[in-house]
Amino acid sequence: DDEDSSPPCCPYAVVSRLVDEDDSQNEIVVGKSEVLKRTLDPDFTKLFPLDFVLGKPMNVLVTIWDGSKKDGDETQLGSAIFDVGAVLGTKGGIMGKQLKNGGVIMVHVERSSGMGTLNLKLGALDLVSDQEVVDPYFEIQKKRRTTSGEKIWDVVYRSVPVEDTTSP
């Protein structure tokens, strides 16, 4: 069966800063997230520091890739452009964008305790792939309070997945 031989979805994200806000061809790669094994709902733990000046436009392009293919022929699962100032201005500093082929890319922007640096946290929901096999893992999360008083949980550690088992 061809479906059984297909590799599972192993998403990762690439974040790029757009040099000219109207031209997504001029990109400076900020960084790449970790590759998560066998999930269509990735919650990446890597933070991306951005030198953001309030009032100066900054757009970032977030592209989610499936890194499961061993031959290096990776499939783009979706991408979206986010205005960093607009995300920072939302309640909780969170914004999502619907993808054409299904799913949502979510970003979270908050001020760091440094001098004008922001940390960008990524996640995605309901990504579309040929196969949906998930390996179990655990997470350690930290509870924090947003500026609006809302309590949310941030993942600070994710274990290595236990492969091919439903009873880890």
Side-chain angles (χ1 to χ4, degrees):
D1 188 351
D2 286 344
E3 279 189 321
D4 293 335
S5 64
S6 298
C9 185
C10 296
Y12 69 92
V14 175
V15 176
S16 302
R17 186 172 54 84
L18 301 182
V19 175
D20 178 1
E21 66 184 67
D22 296 327
D23 186 0
S24 64
Q25 298 303 311
N26 296 324
E27 305 166 11
I28 298 173
V29 175
V30 175
K32 177 182 166 184
S33 75
E34 69 276 22
V35 176
L36 298 180
K37 289 190 163 212
R38 298 183 182 190
T39 182
L40 295 175
D41 296 320
D43 185 10
F44 304 107
T45 59
K46 177 160 174 83
L47 298 176
F48 299 90
L50 301 170
D51 290 324
F52 176 72
V53 177
L54 193 60
K56 184 177 177 186
M58 178 187 282
N59 290 320
V60 293
L61 171 66
V62 178
T63 307
I64 308 291
W65 294 90
D66 179 359
S68 64
K69 302 225 167 77
K70 295 190 189 301
D71 61 5
D73 184 25
E74 298 173 342
T75 304
Q76 183 176 320
L77 299 173
S79 66
I81 296 173
F82 293 89
D83 176 333
V84 174
V87 178
L88 189 59
T90 65
K91 183 175 182 178
I94 298 172
M95 184 181 286
K97 292 206 176 175
Q98 195 75 36
L99 300 175
K100 291 178 188 175
N101 294 331
V104 177
I105 293 179
M106 305 287 296
V107 297
H108 173 213
V109 176
E110 65 181 42
R111 292 185 190 278
S112 72
S113 57
M115 304 256 311
T117 301
L118 299 174
N119 287 319
L120 173 67
K121 183 183 181 309
L122 304 173
L125 300 171
D126 302 325
L127 295 175
V128 178
S129 179
D130 295 330
Q131 189 169 348
E132 187 176 347
V133 178
V134 179
D135 293 334
Y137 60 89
F138 73 89
E139 295 177 338
I140 298 174
Q141 299 180 351
K142 178 178 86 172
K143 184 168 65 170
R144 67 177 172 87
R145 191 176 300 271
T146 65
T147 54
S148 64
E150 181 183 6
K151 293 178 186 173
I152 60 173
W153 292 90
D154 289 325
V155 176
V156 294
Y157 174 79
R158 182 175 293 114
S159 73
V160 174
V162 179
E163 296 184 9
D164 300 322
T165 182
T166 56
S167 303

